[in-house]
Amino acid sequence: MRALLAMLLLALSLGAHAGLEPLNFDSPEQARRYQELLRELRCTVCQNESLAESKAELAKDMRLRIHQMMLEGQTDAQIKEFLVSRYGDFVLYAPPFQPNTWVLWLGPGVVLLIGLGAMLMVLRKRARALPADAGGIED
Amino acid sequence: MWRYALPLLVVIALGVLLFQGIGRDPSTLPSPLIDHPVPAFELGTLADPSVRVSQQDLLGEPYLLNVFASWCATCHLEHPVLKAFAEEGVARLIGLNWKDQPDDAKRWLVRAGDPYALILADESGAVGIDLGVYGTPETFLIDANGVIRFKHVGELTDAVIEREIRPRLLAWSDGAAP
């Protein structure tokens, strides 16, 4: 039973680091920062995976570069800026708010407003039509 | 009137927006390096790792930088196009052998023919990251001042050379400032 439990725990701990290389960090805080940063960055060859989960060779190279930059004392913002300057905004999972992404960020809100407006118009029209209607609700 | 016109307009606007996406390859990323200088690098050549070449050494004339690897099937496909381009001699063809075993690359070039004036060996892929390379083949057109002017991702074809590369090279050789 104990052996089984040990195996289970081992399997779980392996899963948590799947696809990632063992790396040394200056502090646990830095290791946490690294993990968080990877989740915000996209693998450029396997576009629907983040750098935290991708097993692609290029993703590994990008992780090693990020790790190296972190050990050199660069901030998250500097590392992101470097990757954006090489691969474009695409590497960021959350695209920045700028003119070419306004439609992306604001579009859903605008569509929602149009829908609400249309609904209000229809409801008002109905409310106006009802009193004139002799039958009212029973109609 | 508006009751019918408005939905129609919305549908047309949406149609125009979505139509623009048709035919675009979502895996092709626009390079932010266009109109920026080639990132600084220093690499050994494939022939001799002790011969170091930096981006400074390549200034003075435009060149085509082709990122390739012996393990990359699409690179094999575009190889005849590169050979024809090199034979024509309109610009230098420089290779960046990316994430490859030097011996594999050399063996493949002996078999397929070596059209490159110079091949830089980027075995670790570090310079590739600096160039924003995310797959092979990729081809950069760089002007005499070392500024990247055009990038093509994927197989280089005659059509791309005629449409994008040759007109630029001709314009530069006519004396127009690159």
Side-chain angles (χ1 to χ4, degrees):
Chain A
M1 184 63 205
R2 192 176 268 185
L4 196 70
L5 191 71
M7 272 162 67
L8 190 72
L9 283 174
L10 187 67
L12 282 174
S13 69
L14 285 176
H17 294 280
L20 291 181
E21 313 62 49
L23 292 170
N24 291 318
F25 290 92
D26 294 341
S27 63
E29 160 66 19
Q30 195 182 45
R32 199 184 50 77
R33 246 183 74 205
Y34 174 77
Q35 291 292 341
E36 264 173 30
L37 188 58
L38 290 190
R39 273 196 286 276
E40 292 169 30
L41 295 166
R42 191 192 297 269
C43 166
T44 46
V45 269
C46 32
Q47 302 187 346
N48 290 323
E49 281 184 312
S50 77
L51 283 185
E53 59 203 2
S54 177
K55 289 188 175 71
E57 186 73 11
L58 180 63
K60 181 181 148 197
D61 291 351
M62 287 169 81
R63 281 195 294 267
L64 293 179
R65 174 68 72 94
I66 291 166
H67 175 247
Q68 182 198 335
M69 289 175 84
M70 226 168 221
L71 293 191
E72 284 165 7
Q74 306 220 36
T75 64
D76 291 4
Q78 281 170 323
I79 293 170
K80 278 187 187 172
E81 202 185 294
F82 166 77
L83 288 169
V84 167
S85 75
R86 296 311 193 243
Y87 290 99
D89 291 328
F90 190 83
V91 290
L92 304 175
Y93 250 111
F97 188 68
Q98 57 197 24
N100 67 349
T101 59
W102 284 350
V103 173
L104 187 68
W105 281 105
L106 302 177
V110 170
V111 170
L112 186 69
L113 284 180
I114 290 174
L116 282 175
M119 193 175 82
L120 274 180
M121 265 164 62
V122 170
L123 286 179
R124 276 219 194 119
K125 220 181 243 177
R126 278 203 196 157
R128 263 202 310 268
L130 272 180
D133 214 352
I137 287 166
E138 296 98 296
D139 192 68
Chain B
M1 169 62 193
W2 274 111
R3 199 178 167 154
Y4 300 104
L6 199 64
L8 189 68
L9 282 178
V10 169
V11 167
I12 289 174
L14 204 63
V16 168
L17 187 74
L18 296 178
F19 187 76
Q20 292 190 332
I22 294 179
R24 259 200 225 173
D25 180 0
S27 65
T28 305
L29 309 182
S31 174
L33 285 168
I34 302 296
D35 294 334
H36 288 276
V38 175
F41 66 83
E42 200 202 84
L43 286 174
T45 64
L46 184 68
D48 183 355
S50 68
V51 176
R52 311 297 289 178
V53 177
S54 80
Q55 82 286 356
Q56 293 288 342
D57 301 323
L58 300 174
L59 296 178
E61 268 180 73
Y63 58 98
L64 206 60
L65 182 71
N66 177 249
V67 184
F68 75 102
S70 64
W71 46 260
C72 148
T74 315
C75 302
H76 297 196
L77 276 182
E78 68 171 13
H79 204 63
V81 175
L82 289 172
K83 273 171 145 172
F85 180 85
E87 268 165 33
E88 215 187 319
V90 277
R92 289 176 296 171
L93 175 64
I94 293 175
L96 182 74
N97 187 224
W98 187 63
K99 293 182 72 64
D100 206 352
Q101 297 290 328
D103 286 339
D104 291 349
K106 284 182 207 161
R107 222 174 296 133
W108 177 62
L109 288 169
V110 165
R111 200 151 20 98
D114 179 1
Y116 300 102
L118 174 74
I119 300 175
L120 308 165
D122 183 22
E123 209 178 327
S124 74
V127 173
I129 289 186
D130 279 333
L131 276 165
V133 170
Y134 59 92
T136 44
E138 291 191 13
T139 306
F140 297 80
L141 177 63
I142 295 157
D143 72 15
N145 300 326
V147 176
I148 297 173
R149 293 301 181 180
F150 170 75
K151 175 186 179 181
H152 179 74
V153 177
E155 183 187 356
L156 191 70
T157 58
D158 287 326
V160 175
I161 289 185
E162 295 310 323
R163 196 177 63 234
E164 303 284 356
I165 293 173
R166 194 186 303 281
R168 286 181 170 89
L169 286 171
L170 283 178
W172 298 342
S173 67
D174 283 349

